[in-house]
Amino acid sequence: MLILRRYLESCGCEPDLVELIRLIARQMETIRKAFLENQTFERTLNPSGELQTQMDTWADEHLIKVVGNSGLVRELASEEQPDIIRFDNSRTDYCMVMDPLDGSSLISTNLAVGTIVGIYEGGGVLQPGSKLRAAFYTLFGPLTVLVVSVGKGVQSFAWDQENEHYLLLRTGISIPEGKQYGTGGLRMEWLPEHVRVIDYFDQSGFKVRYSGSFVADCHQLLTYGGIYSYPGTTKNPEGKLRLLFEAIPLGFIITQAGGRITDGKRNILEIVPEKQHQTTPLYIGSKGIIEKIEEIYSSS
Ligand code: AFP
């Protein structure tokens, strides 16, 4: 059975990149264990003004420590940190973006959450997603799953606790054209273009799937197709989801699986980020559905 390390090596990944991906992947066991004692919200707000959970700060601090000590990352941007962190001890040029725990409002409900990571080779963290060297996410469900792309398609692996490695689960993942959608934002605040998109889904027999965890909602797209969306609203025209930590890494993976990501008008992977905590309206999922959404936007 193919394990994560061998897969990455077979793709021609340089040893430092293999080591970095494996290092973070191995932290998932530690993070999973920490859930038991970190079930509630903190009193602190993250840089986007959202209430942090204990696990947000726990996973953030843990990953910053591990990555910082590794000497494998020069620059790190975390969803939970106000500023970009620079590590002078780095022997590589890797620049990393991460959402240490996405979907964290669901921790107290025991629904699926995960960690999202994007890795650039040089050039800093404020780069378009098309320049990513690798992206992966993990998902804590019945299995601890890791989904990775190093620009050669998308593969998923599952953590094998007994043998302490990640085993290949699915290879060459290709996103089907499905008929399901999820949307965030309050209906009363949706913009007219988004109302038309949702009307189209409802009239075309799509069913609704939305958990409140971006990483989990995107993960099911790899099996069932369809789309996840979080639009711009009258209150937040630039949406809620973070360009660096959520949209870009997941957009890279879904695109590698044959899907697409758009803000309604342009491919999100082409956007050059201007600031660390920038947000973007987004639609992500099956290619044909995204094309239809862009058609609706352009005719609005
Ligand atoms: P964090 O848990 O990293 O803050 O992310 C939450 C999130 O950005 C995304 O994972 C969800 O899809 C979205 O928020 C849910 O938002 P609503 O609660 O407004 O639906």
Side-chain angles (χ1 to χ4, degrees):
M1 191 64 124
L2 192 60
I3 60 172
L4 179 63
R5 176 174 57 78
R6 293 229 176 84
Y7 166 72
L8 295 171
E9 287 167 354
S10 76
C11 287
C13 292
E14 54 280 16
D16 282 341
L17 182 63
V18 176
E19 197 180 327
L20 177 57
I21 295 174
R22 290 183 64 226
L23 175 70
I24 301 165
R26 279 200 306 275
Q27 304 314 311
M28 297 308 135
E29 215 200 338
T30 317
I31 292 177
R32 202 187 243 287
K33 281 184 190 146
F35 282 114
L36 196 55
E37 293 191 344
N38 294 280
Q39 282 285 305
T40 58
F41 281 89
E42 303 268 28
R43 286 170 198 275
T44 47
L45 298 179
N46 72 11
S48 303
E50 297 158 352
L51 208 54
Q52 291 177 304
T53 66
Q54 286 181 313
M55 273 309 292
D56 279 324
T57 46
W58 195 97
D60 186 47
E61 283 164 17
H62 179 72
L63 289 174
I64 291 173
K65 192 170 70 198
V66 168
V67 166
N69 288 338
S70 72
L72 289 166
V73 172
R74 182 165 305 286
E75 202 170 288
L76 172 68
S78 166
E79 186 180 296
E80 304 302 328
Q81 292 294 321
D83 301 310
I84 294 166
I85 302 169
R86 294 192 173 83
F87 299 111
D88 296 332
N89 64 339
S90 181
R91 62 169 196 265
T92 78
D93 254 345
Y94 294 129
C95 301
M96 184 174 138
V97 292
M98 71 168 178
D99 181 349
L101 211 63
D102 182 62
S104 51
S105 70
L106 297 183
I107 289 169
S108 52
T109 67
N110 200 33
L111 288 177
V113 298
T115 298
I116 304 175
V117 174
I119 300 168
Y120 295 97
E121 205 168 356
V125 290
L126 295 179
Q127 295 191 65
S130 54
K131 295 233 157 69
L132 275 174
R133 174 69 183 88
F136 62 95
Y137 63 81
T138 59
L139 189 69
F140 300 105
L143 293 171
T144 300
V145 167
L146 180 141
V147 177
V148 62
S149 179
V150 292
K152 296 187 173 168
V154 178
Q155 331 293 322
S156 69
F157 295 81
W159 177 246
D160 172 1
Q161 172 78 50
E162 205 177 315
N163 298 301
E164 300 199 334
H165 49 209
Y166 279 92
L167 291 176
L168 184 70
L169 207 55
R170 289 176 67 192
T171 184
I173 298 174
S174 168
I175 179 169
E177 285 297 322
K179 277 197 147 189
Q180 63 177 48
Y181 76 92
T183 180
L186 297 180
R187 184 175 282 266
M188 62 200 277
E189 292 174 359
W190 287 350
L191 297 169
E193 296 88 336
H194 189 65
V195 172
R196 277 198 278 281
V197 167
I198 300 303
D199 282 349
Y200 165 77
F201 293 147
D202 289 339
Q203 285 156 20
S204 308
F206 280 53
K207 64 182 177 186
V208 179
R209 283 279 186 279
Y210 186 83
S211 74
S213 163
F214 178 55
V215 67
D217 287 331
C218 282
H219 187 66
Q220 58 174 320
L221 300 176
L222 293 176
T223 299
Y224 299 116
I227 67 132
Y228 168 98
S229 65
Y230 209 112
T233 60
T234 49
K235 203 162 153 205
N236 294 308
E238 292 311 312
K240 173 183 179 186
L241 268 70
R242 270 63 47 143
L243 179 60
L244 259 67
F245 315 114
E246 296 171 308
I248 284 181
L250 263 299
F252 181 79
I253 291 170
I254 293 288
T255 302
Q256 281 288 320
R260 283 197 51 204
I261 182 164
T262 182
D263 65 359
K265 297 182 185 125
R266 59 195 165 153
N267 180 352
I268 286 180
L269 295 185
E270 302 302 332
I271 298 176
V272 183
E274 286 165 18
K275 52 182 185 189
Q276 190 185 345
H277 295 284
Q278 189 170 335
T279 59
T280 179
L282 75 81
Y283 299 86
I284 184 170
S286 306
K287 192 161 173 271
I289 305 174
I290 298 286
E291 280 165 7
K292 182 70 195 171
I293 291 165
E294 286 182 336
E295 196 184 304
I296 294 172
Y297 265 71
S298 67
S299 64
S300 293

